Amino acid sequence: MLALLLGGNAVAETLNFDNAPAGMPPEGWTLTKTGKGEPKWTVEADATAPSKPNVLKQSGRATFPVALKSGTAIRDGFVEVKFKAITGSEDRAAGVIWRARDADNYYVVRANALEDNVVLYKMVSGVRTSLEIVGRKGGYGVGTPVPSGQWHALRCDFAGRRFKVTYDGRPLFEVEDATMTDPGMIGLWTKADSVTLFDDLAYGEVK
């Protein structure tokens, strides 16, 4: 874990899972799901990891596998992760969560390698709703290539009701929503039969 000062008003932490035993669930997390199924979150060695040797792998199957970082309570800040979509015939997705109250109430932005798009949702009482992009009427997220078997970076900066999404270092879109305004946990997310690797999870709070 690394702690970095950002401009004197925020502290960012980066988790790379390299000190955790391979084959085991990571400590300090609530490993759960939205909906039904059996998610499987484990630390695994991976030669392609952005920071070697380990990654966090989701290889189970559930409606929405969810991993929430214990002890986080952020209202305004950011969450960012590097991910690699491996397989999945029903879905092939990776997402980051913020302002989570529990496994049924949170915001999530996800990239999908089958649909080649990035979409931001709110999950309220276990019901997922996509949110409209600022400056555009209708539509569903933003189309962008999400090649399987490659590492990508997905980030959301959130402050008040405004959320800014960045994918592979490129600002993609912004969303406004005021459904959940209290501080909450950050976390990671997949869908259905997605097998996904995660590394270098960074998050921080802006005061």
Side-chain angles (χ1 to χ4, degrees):
M1 182 185 298
L2 303 173
L4 304 171
L5 288 173
L6 297 180
N9 64 352
V11 174
E13 291 190 1
T14 300
L15 305 177
N16 54 29
F17 311 105
D18 292 336
N19 295 323
M24 299 291 291
E27 293 185 1
W29 291 79
T30 299
L31 306 172
T32 180
K33 81 269 185 185
T34 309
K36 299 177 180 179
E38 293 294 333
K40 184 181 180 183
W41 296 90
T42 53
V43 175
E44 303 290 348
D46 186 273
T48 71
S51 58
K52 293 175 176 55
N54 292 346
V55 299
L56 180 61
K57 180 179 184 179
Q58 201 300 117
S59 58
R61 185 181 182 120
T63 311
F64 304 109
V66 168
L68 299 175
K69 184 69 182 81
S70 304
T72 54
I74 299 173
R75 181 181 186 273
D76 297 331
F78 77 95
V79 59
E80 179 175 12
V81 77
K82 294 172 184 173
F83 74 89
K84 180 163 72 169
I86 304 298
T87 60
S89 56
E90 183 180 335
D91 217 280
R92 200 173 298 173
V96 289
I97 286 172
W98 64 98
R99 290 190 190 160
R101 191 171 74 217
D102 50 37
D104 290 326
N105 297 274
Y106 52 81
Y107 289 106
V108 57
V109 62
R110 69 96 179 104
N112 189 309
L114 293 184
E115 299 178 6
D116 279 331
N117 61 17
V118 176
V119 184
L120 196 153
Y121 307 88
K122 62 180 177 182
M123 188 77 74
V124 178
S125 299
V127 178
R128 188 180 71 156
T129 306
S130 63
L131 298 177
E132 284 200 355
I133 289 170
V134 172
R136 191 185 79 185
K137 282 291 183 184
Y140 182 67
V142 167
T144 188
V146 186
S148 301
Q150 298 180 22
W151 286 97
H152 304 281
L154 183 63
R155 176 184 175 110
C156 185
D157 292 85
F158 48 97
R161 56 181 294 151
R162 181 65 71 111
F163 312 136
K164 301 179 181 181
V165 175
T166 304
Y167 171 69
D168 281 348
R170 180 170 60 96
L172 211 54
F173 61 84
E174 297 185 15
V175 162
E176 284 193 347
D177 188 76
T179 303
M180 292 170 277
T181 57
D182 291 337
M185 292 173 281
I186 60 95
L188 299 169
W189 181 101
T190 71
K191 181 182 176 184
D193 63 344
S194 302
V195 176
T196 308
L197 307 182
F198 297 93
D199 199 7
D200 295 345
L201 170 65
Y203 60 93
E205 184 171 17
V206 178
K207 298 293 187 182

